[in-house]
Amino acid sequence: MAIKTRFTELFGVEHPIAQGGMQWVGKAELVAAVANAGGLGFLTALTQPTPEALAKEIARTRDLTDKPFGVNLTILPAMTPPPYAEYRAAIIESGIKVVETAGYKPQEHVDHFKANGVKVIHKCTAVRHALSAERMGVDAISIDGFECAGHPGEDDIPGLILIPAAADKVKIPMIASGGFGDARGLVAALALGADGINMGTRFCATVEAPIHENFKQAMVANDERATDLIFRTLHNTARVARNAISQQVVAIERAGGAKFEDVADLVKGARGREGLESGDVDHGVWTAGMIQGLIHDVPTVKVLIDRIMSEAEALIRQRLAGMVG
């Protein structure tokens, strides 16, 4: 049974499963594995130090798969912003046909991609932002609930409400992000009005994810409570795996009057990256969602996607169908 949705039709993939952008993790070996297993994988543009390096990573991914894949470009306010226009040019010149955008004021990026025949999925944490992106001309929405890893926004609306609230108003195809990792989540997302799911943390706990085994085993061992919300008092909330560093950040914020400079050394990206490479899960902050509570193994990407799809079919054909008199 293939589950066909507006998402699979629009992006020419077999299964309604995406692997969205993940800093330091969205590299060729993982993205190609997702593509080969029938999902839609995304390289993370800013994981690569330069636009030239991104072009090489796109070429490396093409050596590993002949299936569709995309690139994530996350736009965040920064003291010295990355050369976004050059990254966009590298994506377009490499012949990429789908981009996942996320973050701050994507209009100029959307316009540039659309003018060059690139389909755009924009990731949002609120219905109003999804409608704004739809007006900008994006092709699809990824709606990201409070359960997610990374930035859940400031509204704290979980997927059970956010997905159908968005589905009521958004007309273009929509995938559900935040808290997805198994067949039950996929079937629930479809029932709530989404056209597929986007998984991040779950794909980190796979054989092909280019991070140290210690992090994969930590996700298996952790339960659904093993995350911290940092930067709450700075109104830039981020959900990360609970560890010694995240607990320090939470304590500093709880003391009151914290500024970013007070935690900057603890949370800097280089520190998190060093940890992912060395295997020290307490070296820096690292991103993981509540879905950790439903992660019980470290399979290959193909085994994971095949399992989700076969179990989803059984849920739909047997459990749900059997309830209808």
Side-chain angles (χ1 to χ4, degrees):
M1 171 186 176
I3 296 179
K4 289 197 184 317
T5 70
R6 293 189 299 169
F7 172 80
T8 61
E9 299 291 313
L10 182 60
F11 297 108
V13 293
E14 190 180 352
H15 302 310
I17 296 175
Q19 164 260 311
M22 294 182 282
Q23 186 71 341
W24 315 132
V25 187
K27 297 180 180 177
E29 51 269 51
L30 176 60
V31 173
V34 172
N36 288 332
L40 184 61
F42 288 89
L43 294 171
T44 310
L46 300 183
T47 288
Q48 301 302 321
T50 64
E52 294 76 22
L54 174 60
K56 285 182 182 159
E57 193 71 0
I58 291 169
R60 191 162 80 90
T61 311
R62 284 225 171 90
D63 288 341
L64 299 171
T65 185
D66 58 0
K67 303 275 184 70
F69 66 91
V71 175
N72 162 279
L73 188 64
T74 297
I75 306 111
L76 295 172
M79 299 292 278
T80 49
Y84 287 121
E86 292 173 37
Y87 275 99
R88 290 199 309 266
I91 291 166
I92 291 162
E93 286 162 19
S94 296
I96 290 291
K97 292 300 174 197
V98 54
V99 165
E100 178 190 60
T101 54
Y104 192 66
K105 295 191 175 172
Q107 183 76 68
E108 93 178 82
H109 308 282
V110 172
D111 289 348
H112 190 190
F113 286 129
K114 295 292 292 176
N116 286 275
V118 179
K119 293 188 175 84
V120 178
I121 303 175
H122 187 63
K123 194 172 189 178
C124 330
T125 59
V127 176
R128 63 188 183 281
H129 299 155
L131 292 171
S132 171
E134 186 176 50
R135 287 192 297 272
M136 279 182 206
V138 305
D139 298 276
I141 295 294
S142 178
I143 196 79
D144 208 5
F146 184 56
E147 305 90 335
C148 73
H151 293 279
E154 306 302 316
D155 295 340
D156 300 358
I157 309 297
L160 195 59
I161 304 299
L162 186 62
I163 298 159
D168 281 346
K169 294 184 176 178
V170 172
K171 296 180 180 62
I172 56 178
M174 186 180 78
I175 56 173
S177 300
F180 294 99
D182 63 15
R184 294 170 297 183
L186 172 58
V187 174
L190 297 174
L192 291 169
D195 299 287
I197 56 171
N198 181 52
M199 304 193 304
T201 305
R202 188 62 189 94
F203 277 125
C204 288
T206 58
V207 170
E208 293 90 345
I211 59 176
H212 197 283
E213 186 66 22
N214 291 359
F215 286 84
K216 301 177 187 183
Q217 293 306 325
M219 285 181 261
V220 171
N222 283 346
D223 68 14
E224 62 278 6
R225 299 167 300 165
T227 68
D228 276 324
L229 293 168
I230 62 174
F231 310 152
R232 290 240 91 177
T233 61
L234 304 172
H235 307 294
N236 187 29
T237 301
R239 187 182 298 283
V240 297
R242 177 169 294 160
N243 68 358
I245 304 294
S246 71
Q247 289 278 282
Q248 281 185 60
V249 176
V250 168
I252 289 167
E253 290 194 67
R254 200 170 278 146
K259 300 184 182 67
F260 183 70
E261 302 83 75
D262 300 328
V263 297
D265 189 56
L266 293 170
V267 303
K268 62 186 178 187
R271 193 164 170 167
R273 185 179 193 173
E274 287 162 10
L276 289 173
E277 291 168 357
S278 73
D280 181 354
V281 296
D282 284 312
H283 186 72
V285 293
W286 53 283
T287 303
M290 291 178 169
I291 194 64
Q292 288 177 110
L294 301 179
I295 294 175
H296 307 304
D297 62 354
V298 183
T300 64
V301 166
K302 179 168 173 43
V303 165
L304 175 64
I305 289 181
D306 285 353
R307 181 168 74 203
I308 289 173
M309 296 312 301
S310 65
E311 290 179 2
E313 178 182 352
L315 265 173
I316 294 165
R317 286 194 191 279
Q318 295 164 30
R319 179 172 162 77
L320 298 182
M323 291 175 177
V324 180

